[in-house]
Amino acid sequence: MADFYEILEVSQDASAEEIKRSYRRLARESHPDANPGDADAEHRFKELAAAYEVLSDPEKRERYDRFGDAEGFDFGDPFGQGEGLGDLFDAFFGAGSPFTGGGRQRDRASSNRGPDLEVTANLGFTEALFGTATDVSVRTAVLCEDCDSTGAAPGTTPDTCSECSGTGEVRAVRNTVLGQIVSASPCRRCGGSGQVIPEPCSTCKGEGRIVTDKTFTVDVPAGVDDGSTLRLTGRGAVGARGGASGDLYVRLRVERDEHFERQGDDLVFRLTLPITQAALGAAITIDTPDGPEHMEIPAGTQTGRLFRARGKGVPRLNGRGRGDLVVVAEVEIPAKLDEESERLLRELAEHRGDDVAPPSDGLMSRIKSAFS
């Protein structure tokens, strides 16, 4: 027989955890269920099991290290010390192992769960800021009242499936070097429910549910943003024959505002100031989602200057305060001046000693200048 350490691809000083990790990895690759009809894989799997049975047991490993052979070892008890079949099945089937204390039962319990649903809700800008209640409609599955969700015609009841005896699964037993390995799969006759319907309900055709349109009122918390998703537990489609309901996911679409832009928890407002107010200062009022906001604009304000109103921004979803209202100054330069405004500006330029373009004499003057 080959060296057990070589079979498990570990060194002789490997720790118990390293041996276990390597064994689980190699066992997944060579397991007969993953390699149907492959005799080499089956032989490799048996070697791995035998090697691990020895090296996972401190006493057996010590004896193997001293004498260097497999004689005297008993491989007949797959549930002895070391990794049992529950651990092995966990490696392939997760918590669904028939040896792990009810995993299959949990799978059957959840197999009839209805599907999750998704719907989109449109909100106004201020509705998203301060929260609202909105109705959403969705086409979904609901309990059939005629059969009380059993799927059986009124006056009748479902029968226990004779194929699986009501367990919802069938099991197959295979003999291996590890002993008898049991594999389980959903019963084909009853679909894993454990019951058959001899006389299906005419309304729901034996499903125990019918499809209809339903409207829900959704409480939208303050501070949600465009693209946020709300989860309504148990508001999705109901499962077949009284199965649990799935969840309803509501994706939010928030309208843009023509004046305010959201940046995280802050609201940004771009304030256009004429050069007179920017230069001389002014007291202004801004209409905000909270109402009028009075602000003092100091003299000499430049484009890009920020003014911050603390706690006047977006409510935080965790309920702890709000962001800020950020006002960005944008100084407006008039594109066209009347004669009096131009005269006053030229006087200001002369007073400041600024070098400016000469006054225009009209269209004919500009044509003459172009040909001069």
Side-chain angles (χ1 to χ4, degrees), residues 108-118 140-143 207 209 231-249:
R108 289 200 305 274
S110 62
S111 63
N112 283 346
R113 180 181 183 272
D116 295 335
L117 302 177
E118 181 180 322
T140 184
V142 299
L143 294 176
E207 277 286 303
R209 56 184 178 176
R231 176 186 178 186
L232 305 184
T233 303
R235 297 293 183 89
V238 70
R241 302 177 191 173
S245 297
D247 300 333
L248 176 62
Y249 291 87

Side-chain angles (χ1 to χ4, degrees), residues 253-294:
R253 293 290 177 263
V254 181
E255 296 177 359
R256 292 181 177 272
D257 189 87
E258 59 179 330
H259 301 296
F260 294 90
E261 175 188 351
R262 178 169 177 171
Q263 293 184 1
D265 292 331
D266 292 337
L267 282 182
V268 178
F269 178 79
R270 302 191 180 280
L271 175 64
T272 301
L273 291 172
I275 57 174
T276 50
Q277 289 183 327
L280 302 175
I284 63 171
T285 300
I286 299 174
D287 289 328
T288 74
D290 284 303
E293 182 71 22
H294 303 286

Side-chain angles (χ1 to χ4, degrees), residues 119 121 132-136 216-221 230 232 235 248 250 252:
V119 68
T132 187
T134 187
D135 290 339
V136 295
F216 296 99
T217 298
V218 182
D219 292 324
V220 180
L230 304 179
L232 305 184
R235 297 293 183 89
L248 176 62
V250 182
L252 304 178

Side-chain angles (χ1 to χ4, degrees), residues 108 157-171 185-198 241:
R108 289 200 305 274
T157 58
D159 291 341
T160 300
C161 176
S162 59
E163 184 91 8
C164 64
S165 301
T167 63
E169 64 182 17
V170 292
R171 299 192 176 194
S185 60
C187 176
R188 294 183 179 181
R189 183 166 187 261
C190 66
S193 66
Q195 296 180 327
V196 292
I197 310 295
R241 302 177 191 173

Side-chain angles (χ1 to χ4, degrees), residues 88-143:
L88 180 60
F89 269 72
D90 276 348
F92 295 96
F93 307 112
S97 165
F99 300 97
T100 55
R104 292 292 185 187
Q105 287 77 359
R106 288 193 297 271
D107 289 346
R108 289 200 305 274
S110 62
S111 63
N112 283 346
R113 180 181 183 272
D116 295 335
L117 302 177
E118 181 180 322
V119 68
T120 299
N122 296 314
L123 301 177
F125 190 78
T126 55
E127 288 179 324
L129 286 183
F130 301 120
T132 187
T134 187
D135 290 339
V136 295
S137 296
V138 62
R139 192 157 184 81
T140 184
V142 299
L143 294 176

